Amino acid sequence: QTSILDRLCGPLCDAVTGRRDGQEMLEQLEADNLFILPLDGEKRWYRYHGLFSDLLRKRTKTWLGNTRDESGEVRLALLHLRASEWYESIDDVEAAIAHALSGQDIERAAALIERHAVDQMTHHRREAALARWLDSLPDNLIRARPWLCVYLGWTRYWRGMRDQVEECLQCAEQGLQAASTADDEEQLIRGYVAAIRAHHALTNQEIERVIEMAERAIAFLPEGDYMRCEAAVALGGAYWSRGDVIRSQRAFTQARTTALKSGTPVMAVPSSCYVAEQQTKRGQLFAALTSYREALDWATGPNGRRLPVAGFPLIKLGDLAREWNDLDAACRDLRQGVELCRQLGQADILAEGQVMWA
């Protein structure tokens, strides 16, 4: 039963099997050197040896297939459901969704994505992971849920699939018309749609539409909302394209301030980089250096591990080092930055990093 798990701990094993001796069993297996490996110094998490895990999974299929009270697929789905529920209880959303999908519980996976998508983007900048989750869902299920259409539109924009964005947003609006959505939720969805349209218009250089959509989104969305910050960034980009550096920097600064006031500094990483770009354009290179370093700090977790969004300030720091002819620092920051940008998956930032690296 526990062979469905990529990693094991006592409480998780108990949740899946319905027993109460999970931790004791894991420690005994390790003491007897029976194909189990500890993953941490506290011996809380373990995994089976790869070949042994494969053997167990084959045995599990045989065992499930021989049960007469329920079909093997139903029993297997139940194990994955128990694992999914346990992971959700400890806020490991990615594992919860993975087990829901492995158990073919598509409705549960969709509900988990709807419930946790904004948190994953706001606190972790995991748009690339959100894109993978959405790719695992059938098209008809996404079309039936306006929020999933919104998230699909945003991740398609994020990855550079710009020709598919508007269709997703129209699908979300059609879903609102067909469903009896509460007024406050409808306003949120319309705010998200407007913010995404603002960014989409910016890539097409439709500046008047950028301003219109960004201002609509800011009017719809509450202070501190993830997509309100994105709308402010789009507004700054519109002024930037007009050559209005002052208003552009003001809009980016407002987006950064909003993110910091909301208690989610990782949201301030892109806007701080855009502030620094305006400072660079005005010849304020040391001020830009400070802004980029602040963004890098906000993109670094408490354990010192850098999130993928740290790639954005790193490539900018590398380019600034190149400007100062510190080529060793430029190579170091750009090499790390481009790799993190690949993990981030944002098409424009990755392209910019590769150009700077070249």
Side-chain angles (χ1 to χ4, degrees):
Q1 289 177 312
T2 57
S3 69
I4 69 162
L5 304 170
D6 293 326
R7 54 190 184 129
L8 314 160
C9 72
L12 174 57
C13 291
D14 290 345
V16 169
T17 64
R19 294 165 55 143
R20 296 184 178 181
D21 59 347
Q23 187 63 32
E24 179 184 348
M25 178 70 77
L26 290 171
E27 292 174 2
Q28 185 62 50
L29 289 172
E30 185 195 8
D32 294 342
N33 198 27
L34 291 177
F35 306 106
I36 196 167
L37 303 170
L39 297 178
D40 54 38
E42 295 78 26
K43 296 188 176 181
R44 169 173 163 77
W45 286 99
Y46 296 82
R47 70 171 175 85
Y48 289 126
H49 186 283
L51 293 176
F52 186 62
S53 179
D54 290 342
L55 173 64
L56 286 179
R57 288 175 181 176
K58 290 179 181 177
R59 290 281 185 93
T60 301
K61 288 182 180 179
T62 302
W63 170 70
L64 290 171
N66 290 335
T67 57
R68 298 180 179 179
D69 55 338
E70 297 177 84
S71 72
E73 289 185 0
V74 172
R75 293 292 297 275
L76 186 61
L78 178 60
L79 298 179
H80 281 294
L81 173 61
R82 290 171 177 171
S84 178
E85 290 176 338
W86 186 86
Y87 273 117
E88 186 185 13
S89 73
I90 65 164
D91 296 325
D92 189 336
V93 177
E94 184 163 10
I97 292 172
H99 277 287
L101 292 171
S102 295
Q104 301 299 310
D105 193 342
I106 304 301
E107 288 289 340
R108 173 173 172 77
L112 284 168
I113 293 169
E114 275 190 325
R115 193 153 56 243
H116 295 285
V118 172
D119 177 71
Q120 291 295 303
M121 293 187 293
T122 300
H123 294 93
H124 309 289
R125 300 303 310 217
R126 301 191 67 204
E127 286 86 350
L130 176 59
R132 292 195 301 272
W133 298 338
L134 291 168
D135 286 344
S136 301
L137 300 180
D139 184 64
N140 63 328
L141 187 146
I142 293 176
R143 288 180 175 276
R145 296 171 179 251
W147 272 119
L148 292 184
C149 294
V150 169
Y151 299 143
L152 186 63
W154 180 238
T155 56
R156 292 279 165 88
Y157 171 83
W158 187 263
R159 292 189 289 175
M161 304 163 68
R162 305 285 158 76
D163 59 328
Q164 301 176 29
V165 172
E166 182 58 29
E167 179 187 359
C168 297
L169 301 182
Q170 289 180 10
C171 182
E173 291 173 328
Q174 291 165 6
L176 280 177
Q177 295 173 359
S180 55
T181 309
D183 290 344
D184 55 345
E185 186 175 11
E186 179 177 344
Q187 183 169 307
L188 272 178
I189 291 176
R190 294 196 183 280
Y192 271 57
V193 167
I196 298 167
R197 281 191 172 132
H199 276 275
H200 194 210
L202 188 59
T203 62
N204 295 329
Q205 291 295 301
E206 300 169 357
I207 303 307
E208 293 300 327
R209 182 165 173 78
V210 176
I211 295 173
E212 176 193 355
M213 290 293 107
E215 290 179 345
R216 180 183 298 180
I218 290 170
F220 275 144
L221 298 173
E223 191 77 22
D225 188 279
Y226 166 81
M227 202 56 78
R228 182 184 173 111
C229 291
E230 292 292 348
V233 167
L235 194 59
Y239 294 134
W240 187 355
S241 70
R242 286 180 167 178
D244 191 340
V245 177
I246 303 299
R247 293 180 75 181
S248 177
Q249 185 171 332
R250 188 181 302 140
F252 292 139
T253 301
Q254 181 58 50
R256 180 175 64 182
T257 301
T258 297
L260 294 176
K261 283 184 176 179
S262 71
T264 50
V266 70
M267 284 173 56
V269 174
S271 50
S272 187
C273 290
Y274 290 130
V275 167
E277 287 191 63
Q278 307 315 302
Q279 292 168 330
T280 300
K281 287 183 69 175
R282 300 170 71 184
Q284 301 168 351
L285 299 188
F286 287 101
L289 177 65
T290 298
S291 295
Y292 287 137
R293 284 178 172 171
E294 286 178 341
L296 186 59
D297 287 342
W298 296 328
T300 305
N303 58 357
R305 183 179 179 181
R306 288 171 175 168
L307 300 172
V309 74
F312 194 2
L314 274 172
I315 64 171
K316 294 296 185 179
L317 284 167
D319 199 49
L320 198 58
R322 178 202 55 77
E323 179 72 15
W324 282 326
N325 202 36
D326 186 351
L327 300 186
D328 289 339
C331 285
R332 179 196 66 221
D333 290 343
L334 281 164
R335 183 181 293 112
Q336 296 175 9
V338 168
E339 179 55 38
L340 286 170
C341 285
R342 286 196 182 98
Q343 297 175 30
L344 183 65
Q346 211 288 334
D348 305 300
I349 296 172
L350 177 57
E352 192 172 2
Q354 289 174 324
V355 169
M356 291 174 176
W357 177 239

